Amino acid sequence: MPDNTPMMRQYNEIKAKNPDCLLFFRLGDFYEMFGEDALAASRELDLVLTTRDRATENPEERVPMCGVPHHSSEAYIARLVSRGYKVAICEQLEDPKAAKGIVDRDVIRIVTPGTVTEPSMLDEGAPNYLAAVYASESGAAVCYADISTGEMAVVASPGGDASRLLAELAVISPREAILGGLAAQDAAVSELLEQRLACFTQTQESRFSGETANAAFIEALGKNAFEETGLLPGSPEVIAAGALLGYVSDTRRAPTRHLRFAPSGAGCMELDYSAIRGLELTASNSTGEKKGSLLWALDYTKTAMGRRTLRRWVRRPLLSPAAIRRRQDAVAELVGETVTRAELFRSLRGVGDLERLAGKIAYGTANARDLLSLADASSSLDATAELLAGMKSPALIAIAALDRLTDARADILDAIDPDPPLSVKDGGIIRPGRDAELDRLRGLVRDGGGALTELERRERERTGIKLKIGYNRVFGYYIEMPRSKSESVPEGYERRQTLANTERFVTPELKKLESELLSAQELAASLEYDIYKSLLEALAARGERILKTASDAAELDALCSLAEAASRNSYTCPDINPDGVIDIKSGRHPVVELTRGDTLFVPNDTYLDTRENIAAVVTGPNMAGKSTYMRQTALIVLMAQMGSFVPAASASIGIVDKIFTRIGASDDLASGKSTFMVEMTETAEILKNATNRSLLIFDEIGRGTSTYDGVAIARAILEHCAVRLRAKTLFSTHYHELSEAEGECRGIKCYVISARRRGGELIFLRKISPGGARDSYGIDVARLAGLPRGVIDRAREVMTGLTSGTPTETESAAAPGIADEPDTQISLFDAATDEIAEKLRAADLDTLSPIEALNMLFELKKLTGGWRGEAYKK
């Protein structure tokens, strides 16, 4: 930059070290940005852009600049980070009043999407994961961590199997990822992270070298890190973990010992991106919001950490029958204890988010009010433990023994004022009586004159001289006495000034008192901060205990939530069988049944086993409920394996290792892939990775190509699933030819979701029964969708011709019954129907008199006078 002042030279040096960041440069009460950073910030934050050196004649040499107040910077930083920027915070490292020359400054932290800990930048109900993804010829691994809670795990794929890592990334859905090795060149990894998960992604090869990663691993976790974690130096797991730990250390500019290894996805059902999205586990596909998802249906939690735990359970169903039954037993006991469950919810409300509070304590960013919330949580846990005292299920017995953190509570309440300010550096946070020296300094601030009077009294008694203490701006405080007494002053008196009749002295004690009086406020605030930091360090040393308590409370919250959902929605406890059978009686979709209002949900049975009922072909018209039926089966299996009760009259579930879904149709225009190509690619991945313990959901495979090709491909895929994979499969289709597979291929059964015509109307019965569909009812569904009457009539004519083998003339060749008129988008029939329907809806039939009814009928008949129009004549 042209500006060559000392401050701008300092700015340029710091900016050169952080070229990929927007630099927030502290100047007094503002963070200023210069040059290209100022242009970007002005554009993104709608800030007024100005310049330095306005007196410079050449406008091109002026340095653009803009700034934000430091006390409100968090909101601006959050906006920048959400838009994909990294923000480097450059602070003043010394008091500008005491600085000689330019104030010393440096970057104290780099804010990125995956390393934020501020509540305003986080979704309290979801984890905020940073991921490091590494792949080589010998293996691959992904390490992920939530910096705000300290959770950290690593998942390896010894053979370099990309599908395992892609599934793990889909489950954790990181906000930020760093890539190294072959992972940085893998298009599938980049496509999943950037396009599907909207993850901020960057390649940082230097962090993934073996030597650098090993050093960062040891630096973060200690010299015994390899022995304690069981990981080998230079392994893909260590390289990924070391890269992540080094990145966190460099961005946070603080130790990473708060991070702790947690159990990884081992022992959990595998779900890929398509399954998570297709089953709408944590977000609705139509809105992208939580409402309308399985998590929404199950979430009655009262704490943020409980919501995150429940979310993790939804995305990571269990594989161990023993672990599943442990949760089921706890849920069953809580279902039966309605009053106790309500009291537990009440006590949990006072616990707050201990997980993220522990993170703030570890990083030294917790304020006094945060500590009081920890004390309040400890008090609430007393009530929680008492309520759990009589429980009998193993999970609840273990939670009842949770650490109530009573020692931490006592230390906090002993030190912190009940009503502290937000800032920890301005005083007022330590309660009176906690520290004698602090009380004395505060007394000086409140009553400096009293301290001087007390010193004057003591000195008179000690010397026997009638002296007094005075003050002026030149000499400050002094002891004044008659000159005739000045020769008899005790040792320690230092002459300061001689006047005509008096002498003025100072003593060490007076000097100290003067210094304290003039800086008592600063000294008191500084001492308070030191006391506070000591308390914070003592609490940080209890970090693992706080996190264990948080984990117990979060688990209890999630269990109570599952019990509440089961009680409100009439769920039943499923049996976990060893036979691989899925036997569901009167199953319901857990989300759809909550959104139907007063309309009853029609339950259905499902039976799949490992011999005669491996694959179920489901036929029926559009809108009849095929997709809902298949999804509800998958969701019931998933709920059972997460330890939840399920929406069914009864259910016996054999453990499923993976759920795969191929639902919906979409083009991938960016990659030049058609709907059919996307469908086939995803199907190929399913067939490659499914096992005989998997559950597969296929929705209308083969519809994106010609009928014969579609039928052939669908039949081949169906047979492959049933015969070769022997994976339990639900396969919906409009290809009625697939119904023939039941008699020709063992393990395949056909079912139909019924519909009936009644009075010209199509009625969906929503009930599944054995057999195949005789009619697709496609034209009826098109009529329900609002296609013009003429189009529907012409479609029936064409259908008749196709089914009878008699060719039909095209519409352009003046087909019978259709006038050669300009095309119309909406017939008069449609408009009249809308008006008639509106009048009928507005009528109160219960209060309508006979004469009024006749008058209304006459008006409705008038409305139909021209409804046929001239465009479509019979």
Side-chain angles (χ1 to χ4, degrees):
M1 293 183 186
D3 191 328
N4 200 33
T5 61
M7 189 203 72
M8 287 307 298
R9 286 200 298 271
Q10 182 188 55
Y11 171 87
N12 290 331
E13 289 173 2
I14 297 173
K15 174 63 181 175
K17 296 176 183 177
N18 302 276
D20 58 340
C21 302
L22 289 184
L23 184 63
F24 271 41
F25 191 76
R26 181 70 176 268
L27 281 176
D29 291 334
F30 281 78
Y31 287 118
E32 300 287 358
M33 287 145 279
F34 301 99
E36 294 296 327
D37 285 4
L39 296 174
S42 173
R43 181 178 64 251
E44 299 290 352
L45 303 175
D46 298 321
L47 299 176
V48 175
L49 194 66
T50 183
T51 63
R52 285 178 58 81
D53 297 336
R54 295 182 187 177
T56 303
E57 293 185 5
N58 185 356
E60 295 182 0
E61 294 182 0
R62 296 174 185 170
V63 179
M65 66 177 289
C66 63
V68 299
H70 81 92
H71 63 272
S72 59
S73 62
E74 192 172 297
Y76 293 102
I77 294 171
R79 286 170 63 186
L80 290 170
V81 169
S82 70
R83 296 177 185 183
Y85 291 93
K86 297 164 66 176
V87 179
I89 309 299
C90 180
E91 285 287 358
Q92 297 171 162
L93 302 182
E94 60 181 336
D95 186 348
K97 299 176 184 176
K100 296 180 179 179
I102 194 74
V103 177
D104 189 22
R105 294 180 178 88
D106 203 355
V107 171
I108 62 165
R109 181 185 167 198
I110 298 174
V111 185
T112 70
T115 61
V116 297
T117 56
E118 291 76 9
S120 64
M121 301 186 196
L122 295 169
D123 177 355
E124 67 171 18
N128 191 71
Y129 287 125
L130 166 70
V133 189
Y134 172 76
S136 67
E137 297 292 344
S138 59
V142 56
C143 179
Y144 60 90
D146 185 343
I147 310 304
S148 67
T149 64
E151 176 192 357
M152 180 178 176
V154 63
V155 176
S157 177
D161 180 11
S163 65
R164 177 74 180 92
L165 298 188
L166 292 173
E168 189 66 25
L169 289 170
V171 167
I172 64 174
S173 188
R175 281 194 67 194
E176 180 179 4
I178 57 173
L179 310 180
L182 297 179
Q185 307 164 29
D186 192 322
V189 171
S190 298
E191 190 268 339
L192 173 66
L193 289 171
E194 296 174 8
Q195 297 182 32
R196 297 190 172 191
L197 301 179
C199 175
F200 177 70
T201 306
Q202 52 189 320
T203 299
Q204 298 212 349
E205 285 292 352
S206 61
R207 296 188 184 278
F208 290 87
S209 72
E211 184 177 346
T212 301
N214 287 340
F217 192 77
I218 294 172
E219 175 67 23
L221 303 179
K223 62 181 181 180
N224 297 322
F226 295 119
E227 292 80 359
E228 292 174 357
T229 60
L231 300 178
L232 298 176
S235 63
E237 299 99 306
V238 168
I239 291 176
L244 182 142
L245 290 165
Y247 182 75
V248 173
S249 178
D250 288 347
T251 54
R252 294 288 311 185
R253 307 295 166 100
T256 55
R257 296 191 185 279
H258 171 56
L259 297 177
R260 72 204 186 282
F261 269 99
S264 68
C268 297
M269 178 194 292
E270 185 174 313
L271 298 166
D272 63 8
Y273 174 80
S274 295
I276 293 169
R277 188 176 186 278
L279 297 178
E280 297 182 296
L281 296 186
T282 53
S284 164
N285 289 338
S286 59
T287 66
E289 302 295 328
K290 175 181 167 183
K291 185 175 182 180
S293 69
L294 176 62
L295 179 61
W296 168 74
L298 297 178
D299 188 3
Y300 294 90
T301 57
K302 305 305 177 188
T303 69
M305 57 188 182
R307 281 190 285 281
R308 293 194 296 271
T309 296
L310 184 62
R311 186 179 192 274
R312 184 168 62 249
W313 288 2
V314 167
R315 286 184 169 229
R316 293 191 186 279
L318 301 169
L319 293 178
S320 165
I324 294 170
R325 291 190 184 102
R326 178 183 171 88
R327 279 189 197 163
Q328 284 182 341
D329 291 345
V331 173
E333 188 167 15
L334 290 167
V335 167
E337 297 286 348
T338 305
V339 175
T340 301
R341 187 172 73 247
E343 291 297 321
L344 284 170
F345 272 145
R346 187 174 293 110
S347 71
L348 286 168
R349 283 192 182 95
V351 174
D353 196 344
L354 279 180
E355 278 185 334
R356 284 184 171 161
L357 179 53
K360 295 176 74 174
I361 290 172
Y363 290 118
T365 59
N367 61 34
R369 295 183 186 180
D370 291 328
L371 300 195
L372 287 179
S373 68
L374 174 56
D376 291 341
S378 174
S379 298
S380 296
L381 290 172
D382 286 342
T384 303
E386 290 172 10
L387 289 166
L388 292 173
M391 294 296 182
K392 297 179 177 58
S393 60
L396 296 180
I397 290 172
I399 295 172
L402 56 73
D403 185 348
R404 305 183 198 184
L405 306 171
T406 53
D407 55 336
R409 184 203 320 172
D411 287 350
I412 293 168
L413 296 180
D414 178 61
I416 302 299
D417 188 89
D419 186 24
L422 283 172
S423 173
V424 298
K425 292 187 176 182
D426 296 335
I429 58 174
I430 304 300
R431 69 186 309 151
R434 172 63 173 78
D435 186 89
E437 178 63 11
L438 178 59
D439 289 343
R440 189 183 71 81
L441 289 170
R442 284 173 169 172
L444 289 174
V445 174
R446 288 193 307 269
D447 187 20
L452 290 168
T453 301
E454 175 63 21
L455 177 59
E456 182 181 282
R457 184 191 63 77
R458 292 201 310 270
E459 289 302 308
R460 283 184 177 186
E461 290 180 357
R462 186 164 76 96
T463 63
I465 301 172
K466 192 176 181 180
L467 51 76
K468 66 178 181 179
I469 295 178
Y471 173 82
N472 66 36
R473 292 186 178 181
V474 178
F475 295 106
Y477 288 100
Y478 54 82
I479 298 174
E480 185 177 87
M481 65 183 66
R483 290 187 66 179
S484 59
K485 301 292 185 180
S486 62
E487 299 302 327
S488 59
V489 296
E491 185 178 352
Y493 272 61
E494 177 186 334
R495 184 174 277 104
R496 177 60 60 88
Q497 187 179 19
T498 301
L499 300 177
N501 298 313
T502 59
E503 293 277 0
R504 291 175 176 176
F505 297 86
V506 294
T507 66
E509 187 175 1
L510 181 59
K511 286 181 180 180
K512 180 182 178 184
L513 180 58
E514 176 183 34
S515 175
E516 290 173 348
L517 286 174
L518 297 178
S519 59
Q521 187 73 46
E522 292 183 9
L523 288 172
S526 177
L527 180 55
E528 279 198 72
Y529 185 66
D530 289 342
I531 295 171
Y532 181 78
K533 293 299 285 185
S534 296
L535 174 61
L536 209 55
E537 290 170 4
L539 293 173
R542 300 180 176 111
E544 288 202 14
R545 289 175 52 201
I546 297 174
L547 286 171
K548 177 60 171 66
T549 297
S551 176
D552 290 340
E555 181 183 2
L556 176 63
D557 197 11
L559 289 170
C560 286
S561 181
L562 293 180
E564 187 72 15
S567 179
R568 292 192 184 203
N569 303 319
S570 301
Y571 293 171
T572 189
C573 183
D575 175 53
I576 303 300
N577 70 67
D579 307 319
V581 173
I582 296 175
D583 185 5
I584 301 168
K585 295 290 191 290
S586 298
R588 314 185 306 274
H589 193 294
V591 179
V592 174
E593 73 168 348
L594 297 180
T595 59
R596 292 182 65 87
D598 297 331
T599 306
L600 291 177
F601 186 92
V602 178
N604 276 299
D605 298 346
T606 302
Y607 185 84
L608 298 170
D609 60 24
T610 58
R611 295 189 177 184
E612 301 299 326
N613 297 272
I614 297 173
V617 178
V618 183
T619 56
N622 281 312
M623 297 174 60
K626 299 189 299 298
S627 295
T628 298
Y629 170 73
M630 295 193 300
R631 284 186 174 102
Q632 85 181 31
T633 300
L635 289 174
I636 288 173
V637 170
L638 186 147
M639 290 171 68
Q641 290 189 219
M642 63 178 279
S644 172
F645 283 23
V646 300
S650 68
S652 181
I653 306 297
I655 295 295
V656 167
D657 65 350
K658 306 174 185 180
I659 293 179
F660 292 102
T661 66
R662 169 84 272 285
I663 298 172
S666 61
D667 293 325
D668 186 354
L669 298 179
S671 302
K673 295 180 180 178
S674 66
T675 299
F676 183 67
M677 185 61 179
V678 171
E679 179 181 276
M680 291 297 100
T681 301
E682 293 182 359
T683 301
E685 284 297 312
I686 293 174
L687 301 184
K688 175 183 175 183
N689 295 294
T691 74
N692 61 356
R693 298 177 63 205
S694 301
L695 175 62
L696 316 184
I697 307 295
F698 290 107
D699 189 14
E700 300 183 27
I701 291 293
R703 61 186 167 181
T705 186
S706 69
T707 301
Y708 290 130
D709 283 350
V711 170
I713 292 171
R715 174 70 181 256
I717 292 171
L718 176 63
E719 291 181 0
H720 184 87
C721 294
V723 178
R724 300 195 62 178
L725 290 177
R726 302 189 68 78
K728 287 177 280 294
T729 304
L730 293 172
F731 198 104
S732 75
T733 185
H734 285 289
Y735 295 139
H736 300 160
E737 295 86 347
L738 293 186
S739 300
E740 300 170 3
E742 178 172 347
E744 300 172 358
C745 184
R746 181 182 177 184
I748 298 176
K749 299 294 182 181
C750 292
Y751 298 89
V752 60
I753 296 185
S754 306
R756 294 287 184 272
R757 286 196 183 95
R758 184 180 301 162
E761 296 291 325
L762 180 63
I763 307 298
F764 297 114
L765 303 181
R766 314 289 185 193
K767 199 68 180 175
I768 190 165
S769 57
R774 294 185 297 273
D775 193 343
S776 288
Y777 302 101
I779 296 176
D780 296 270
V781 173
R783 185 180 61 80
L784 288 175
L787 261 65
R789 172 70 176 269
V791 173
I792 298 300
D793 291 346
R794 175 58 179 159
R796 293 195 190 282
E797 293 175 2
V798 173
M799 174 62 76
T800 301
L802 290 173
T803 54
S804 65
T806 304
T808 60
E809 296 183 44
T810 65
E811 187 172 358
S812 61
I818 299 183
D820 188 11
E821 294 281 341
D823 185 30
T824 56
Q825 293 185 353
I826 301 176
S827 73
L828 295 176
F829 168 77
D830 296 319
T833 300
D834 289 343
E835 189 172 353
I836 292 169
E838 187 60 36
K839 286 184 175 295
L840 286 173
R841 275 194 291 268
D844 187 352
L845 300 183
D846 293 331
T847 61
L848 209 62
S849 68
I851 189 64
E852 289 173 330
L854 287 172
N855 288 335
M856 174 178 284
L857 186 60
F858 179 73
E859 290 180 14
L860 297 179
K861 182 174 177 61
K862 284 199 301 182
L863 285 174
T864 64
W867 66 267
R868 293 183 188 278
E870 296 297 324
Y872 296 90
K873 292 182 178 178
K874 286 196 172 183

